[in-house]
Amino acid sequence: MTTTISTRRGGRPDEQPAPAPRTTAIVLILVLGAIMTTFDMTVVNVAINRLSQDFDAPLATVQWVATGYSLALGAMIPATAWATGRFGGTRLYLAAIGLFTAGSILAGAAWNIESLIVFRVLQGLGGGMIMPVGMTILLRAAPPDRLGRMMSMFGLAILVGPLTGPVLGGWLVDEVSWRWMFFINLPIGAVVIALAARLFPRDAAETRRPLDVPGLLMLSPGLATLIYGVTTGGERHDFGSAGVIVPIVAGTVLIVAFVARAMTARHPLIDLALFRDRSFASATATLVLFAAGYFGSMILLPLYYQVVRGESATMAGLLGITGALASGTAMQVGGRLVDKFTPGKVVLTGITIAAAGFALFTGALAADTPYWVLMAALAVIGAGGGTTMMPTMTAATRGLSHDQAPAASTTVNLINTMSGAVGTAVVSVLLTNAMAGRVSGQATHLSDEARSSVAPALADAFQHTYAWALALIVLALIPALFLPRRPAKA
């Protein structure tokens, strides 16, 4: 059989991407696998109180069920570019899904809070590889003229997972058992492994680079320590204590040291030379600001419905479903648009729509705002997010060579994860400070009568916090202006 050869920007000749029908099947499998990880990043939040009751453990300890997962997730991402070259994308993806599924089964069978935390870390070690390795497989399989729509399909898990997780998680906790939040991954993981082993391309021989051990020992602990400090600050609603400042400073120092080393190392863990490319640098800068504002604000919506309006966790999740539907729909449209038009035009349009949605939502937010008004504004926000996130990632990765794909996907996913974590923590602190300045006492544990008396002040606190998220979204317009807005010359 004859092999057709093509050349991509900045690299050697590569094998022609898989035919369209098979590429679509590969993307759908990747979406199914990615949904498990994005779902598990949010689903535990609705079960914190139930876990505290069942295991008779303090909330500070139970919170490590979520924090431990996030730390493991962030720590594993940096090594995936090297591991992809060492073991092959398909083999590494199958191993990651297997590890995540095994961790899910063990987490569902946990006998005490300590074992649950350990098994959640195991989940995170597998989950940290799934998204970047999956994106690498997609970049290598998708034809350049269809990359936008393929990336948009893949991105369904990134935007829809965090919004639907609280809905399904709330129902499982209320009606079935918290253990099924983890057991549900078993059939999904089994299907993904079976289909991936059958349909994914076989791993070809690759140039193996030595592992940058010093870089790994700087970046992975640095990220884990920084995430710990930021997350702890968000949980305590205080960034002034030594328990928060020390890990943040230590993590930052380690990351800066890694950057200094990566600029001179012969085989760095992450290739910083990618940032010399204008499209990649502009897209990642846009992603930092937009992801921090967009994903950081997601913590606000369920809290508003529960704290201000007195709704249950399940209902709070359901009331946010319009945003998920709008983002998923807009993502598919945006993916097709970015294949036809330049990324700069599509991303600028998406950010503008998202900013308009945030402005509408923030301006309308009050203690008695009709739900249909808020849901309509959420739909606009979701439409903007769906038209921004994956086109931005497409702009960062389009045209990269076969060898550049692992480093690019690792960097993009690392930035997305870190920006979301930092944004969530900062938004949490801003909300707490805003509520403390308007309401005395613990505002999250109020009777219905007490809530009605302070609801306007609480709503004002949420409105104030949403304004900060809106500011980040608007700031994302600045780096987006440097994305290509004219077709590249042949």
Side-chain angles (χ1 to χ4, degrees), residues 141-165:
D145 61 345
R146 298 180 73 242
L147 180 60
R149 69 184 67 184
M150 295 294 102
M151 287 284 284
S152 293
M153 290 176 62
F154 182 58
L156 282 173
I158 297 177
L159 286 182
V160 178
L163 289 171
T164 57

Side-chain angles (χ1 to χ4, degrees), residues 180-234:
W180 276 95
M181 295 191 308
F182 305 114
F183 287 149
I184 196 174
N185 290 326
L186 174 58
I188 299 175
V191 169
V192 171
I193 290 174
L195 293 176
R198 179 180 178 84
L199 297 176
F200 278 16
R202 294 182 178 275
D203 291 318
E206 297 189 32
T207 302
R208 296 182 178 180
R209 299 192 310 167
L211 176 62
D212 179 15
V213 176
L216 181 63
L217 294 178
M218 293 176 189
L219 187 56
S220 287
L223 289 172
T225 305
L226 180 60
I227 292 173
Y228 168 78
V230 171
T231 304
T232 302

Side-chain angles (χ1 to χ4, degrees), residues 286 288-298 300 350-365 377 380-381 384-385 388 423 426-427 430 461-479:
T286 302
V288 167
L289 293 168
F290 191 87
Y294 190 86
F295 291 118
S297 69
M298 284 185 177
L300 297 175
I351 296 174
T352 302
I353 294 173
F358 269 100
L360 289 171
F361 188 90
T362 304
L365 198 63
V380 179
I381 292 174
T388 300
V426 171
V427 164
L430 290 171
F462 277 90
Q463 187 180 52
H464 173 83
T465 309
Y466 265 107
W468 285 99
L470 170 60
L472 287 171
I473 299 298
V474 172
L475 285 174
L477 286 168
I478 298 175

Side-chain angles (χ1 to χ4, degrees), residues 128-441:
M129 295 184 287
I130 290 175
M131 288 295 290
V133 178
M135 187 178 290
T136 297
I137 293 172
L138 173 59
L139 292 175
R140 291 175 171 178
D145 61 345
R146 298 180 73 242
L147 180 60
R149 69 184 67 184
M150 295 294 102
M151 287 284 284
S152 293
M153 290 176 62
F154 182 58
L156 282 173
I158 297 177
L159 286 182
V160 178
L163 289 171
T164 57
V167 179
L168 180 56
W171 180 79
L172 288 172
V173 171
D174 292 339
E175 304 297 335
V176 188
S177 168
W178 64 264
R179 295 183 184 276
W180 276 95
M181 295 191 308
F182 305 114
F183 287 149
I184 196 174
N185 290 326
L186 174 58
I188 299 175
V191 169
V192 171
I193 290 174
L195 293 176
R198 179 180 178 84
L199 297 176
F200 278 16
R202 294 182 178 275
D203 291 318
E206 297 189 32
T207 302
R208 296 182 178 180
R209 299 192 310 167
L211 176 62
D212 179 15
V213 176
L216 181 63
L217 294 178
M218 293 176 189
L219 187 56
S220 287
L223 289 172
T225 305
L226 180 60
I227 292 173
Y228 168 78
V230 171
T231 304
T232 302
E235 292 168 0
R236 297 178 182 177
H237 311 299
D238 176 22
F239 279 85
S241 64
V244 174
I245 293 177
V246 170
I248 288 179
V249 172
T252 302
V253 169
L254 286 172
I255 292 172
V256 170
F258 167 78
V259 171
R261 173 182 168 76
M263 293 177 67
T264 57
R266 184 176 181 183
H267 298 291
L269 189 67
I270 293 180
D271 185 9
L272 298 184
L274 289 169
F275 289 96
R276 296 173 184 168
D277 182 274
R278 174 177 169 176
S279 293
F280 187 86
S282 301
T284 50
T286 302
L287 194 62
V288 167
L289 293 168
F290 191 87
Y294 190 86
F295 291 118
S297 69
M298 284 185 177
I299 194 177
L300 297 175
L301 186 64
L303 284 174
Y304 164 78
Y305 283 127
Q306 293 176 75
V307 174
V308 180
R309 309 300 286 264
E311 299 291 353
S312 66
T314 303
M315 181 56 68
L318 288 171
L319 288 169
I321 203 68
T322 55
L325 293 175
S327 66
T329 303
M331 191 179 292
Q332 304 314 304
V333 176
R336 284 159 175 76
L337 289 175
V338 83
D339 283 335
K340 296 180 179 179
F341 303 98
T342 53
K345 294 180 180 179
V346 178
V347 173
L348 282 171
T349 301
I351 296 174
T352 302
I353 294 173
F358 269 100
L360 289 171
F361 188 90
T362 304
L365 198 63
D368 56 355
T369 307
Y371 283 169
W372 70 266
V373 174
L374 298 179
M375 294 175 75
L378 285 173
V380 179
I381 292 174
T387 316
T388 300
M389 288 297 298
M390 297 317 293
T392 302
M393 291 187 178
T394 302
T397 54
R398 173 177 281 165
L400 296 178
S401 70
H402 181 279
D403 289 339
Q404 290 174 313
S409 60
T410 295
T411 305
V412 167
N413 278 277
L414 190 60
I415 288 173
N416 194 49
T417 300
M418 288 296 298
S419 299
V422 172
T424 300
V426 171
V427 164
S428 175
V429 173
L430 290 171
L431 176 62
T432 301
N433 292 337
M435 288 195 297
R438 292 164 175 80
V439 180
S440 59

